[in-house]
Amino acid sequence: LAPSANSLKRLLLSYNYIYELYNKNNIEFSQLDELDLSHNKLPWLSQDIMAARRAKNVDLSANQIVLIDKNIRFDAQTKINLSGNKVQCQSLDDFATLNPSVKNVNPAYNKDPPGCTRKSGYSICCDSLSAPFADRLIEQKRMQNSLLSGPTGPGAKPNCTVDGARQTMISNMSNAVTRVANEVQRLQKEKIQLTADRLSLEQTVNYQREQSSSVREALLAAARNLNLAVEREPSPGVLQKVIDQYEHLSKQEELERNKATEDWNKYSTEIQHWIKEKERLEPLIAKYDADISKANATLVALTRQKGVLAEQLRIKEMNG
């Protein structure tokens, strides 16, 4: 883990039968947020745990911790869970002097059995073992060492047997992995669909932009035909001005059309009047034409008689 000392965020080591911690290289996880060592077989805490002293959460619950090195000190903001252990009360007091957050554990994560002994001011239990209690630690150490050296007695085999809690956790983890795999597959399908939708949407947006550009050009052309100065106005404003101008022109055309219709009706009435007047005058004109023709004939006859009389008068004057 040394290469990850400056980048590791979470270190989850629960249910691993860990019975002792070593930090030979004195590394420190400077970026660690969470250390989970719950449900292991730790009988005591040494200063090696300070590799995670800057972690925000340290879960040491459900181990077999009896003794804690009094010199261990975590950062002030570190939350420590020691519930579900049998820490000797004096050792817990010494540890709490430098790490007061150990006194209060969120009830949701408290793994102490009901009815256990709690000291005043503590939300976790402790064991009022009378000193010395080294025999108990030695026995636990011996039993845990048997995990590496093989069975050494009647009590060794049960410690190697996977307990129900671990089996349940493994089953839950398997189910969780399956759920996560299914969720990943579903998300991948959704990603593919979303990618296709995004491409389709981009095509639609590009098409709409082209259409919008074409519409604006058409609007500007219409505005120029109407002598409207709207080059810098947004399309909605141009459209409204074009509509207003067309409505104005339409009203003017309607007024002119109404006036033309009115004039046409007036002229039509007059034409009908003159047609009737013509029909009335045509017989009179025909009569007048006949009278004029008759008068012309009479005039011709009189002219001839005048000529004859003039000739007779001239002859008479000559004969004297």
Side-chain angles (χ1 to χ4, degrees), residues 42-251:
L42 294 172
W44 63 74
L45 283 183
S46 65
Q47 292 189 41
D48 295 294
I49 192 67
M50 291 182 66
R53 70 183 185 87
R54 297 184 184 277
K56 296 178 181 178
N57 291 284
V58 176
D59 190 352
L60 295 164
S61 62
N63 275 274
Q64 298 174 3
I65 299 173
V66 177
L67 182 64
I68 303 175
D69 190 314
K70 64 176 64 178
N71 295 316
I72 296 174
R73 168 177 272 179
F74 289 92
D75 281 358
Q77 71 273 16
T78 302
K79 296 180 180 179
I80 306 167
N81 185 355
L82 275 171
S83 64
N85 287 285
K86 294 185 178 181
V87 183
Q88 200 271 340
C89 292
Q90 184 58 51
S91 183
L92 182 61
D93 276 341
D94 294 341
F95 179 72
T97 301
L98 299 179
N99 305 278
S101 68
V102 75
K103 294 182 178 182
N104 297 304
V105 174
N106 188 328
Y109 304 111
N110 194 323
K111 298 170 185 173
D112 282 330
C116 64
T117 303
R118 288 183 174 85
K119 294 189 64 173
S120 176
Y122 286 79
S123 64
I124 62 173
C125 299
C126 65
D127 197 334
S128 55
L129 289 172
S130 58
F133 49 89
D135 290 343
R136 180 175 173 181
L137 290 177
I138 292 171
E139 176 61 19
Q140 288 182 342
K141 181 70 173 179
R142 184 192 65 75
M143 293 174 65
Q144 288 159 355
N145 282 337
S146 69
L147 294 173
L148 297 179
S149 59
T152 58
K157 187 174 181 180
N159 283 286
C160 296
T161 304
V162 177
D163 56 26
R166 185 179 184 188
Q167 188 63 42
T168 300
M169 182 179 181
I170 292 172
S171 177
N172 291 338
M173 289 177 64
S174 177
N175 293 334
V177 169
T178 301
R179 288 195 299 270
V180 170
N182 292 336
E183 182 68 10
V184 168
Q185 186 176 10
R186 183 185 68 80
L187 291 175
Q188 287 176 341
K189 290 181 180 179
E190 287 187 359
K191 181 180 178 181
I192 294 172
Q193 183 61 43
L194 289 174
T195 301
D197 292 343
R198 180 177 62 82
L199 293 175
S200 176
L201 183 59
E202 287 178 352
Q203 293 176 354
T204 302
V205 169
N206 291 334
Y207 174 76
Q208 293 296 336
R209 285 176 178 170
E210 293 176 359
Q211 292 297 311
S212 177
S213 178
S214 300
V215 169
R216 179 170 178 80
E217 290 300 323
L219 286 174
L220 292 176
R224 285 191 290 269
N225 291 335
L226 296 172
N227 297 321
L228 297 175
V230 291
E231 296 293 334
R232 295 185 178 181
E233 293 192 20
S235 296
V238 176
L239 176 61
Q240 188 60 50
K241 288 193 174 182
V242 169
I243 291 174
D244 292 343
Q245 186 66 9
Y246 273 124
E247 287 181 349
H248 175 69
L249 294 176
S250 177
K251 289 179 180 178

Side-chain angles (χ1 to χ4, degrees), residues 1-2 4-6 8 11 27-32 51-52 54-55:
L1 294 175
S4 304
N6 295 321
L8 190 64
L11 184 55
I27 63 173
E28 181 176 327
F29 299 106
S30 59
Q31 302 298 319
L32 193 63
R54 297 184 184 277

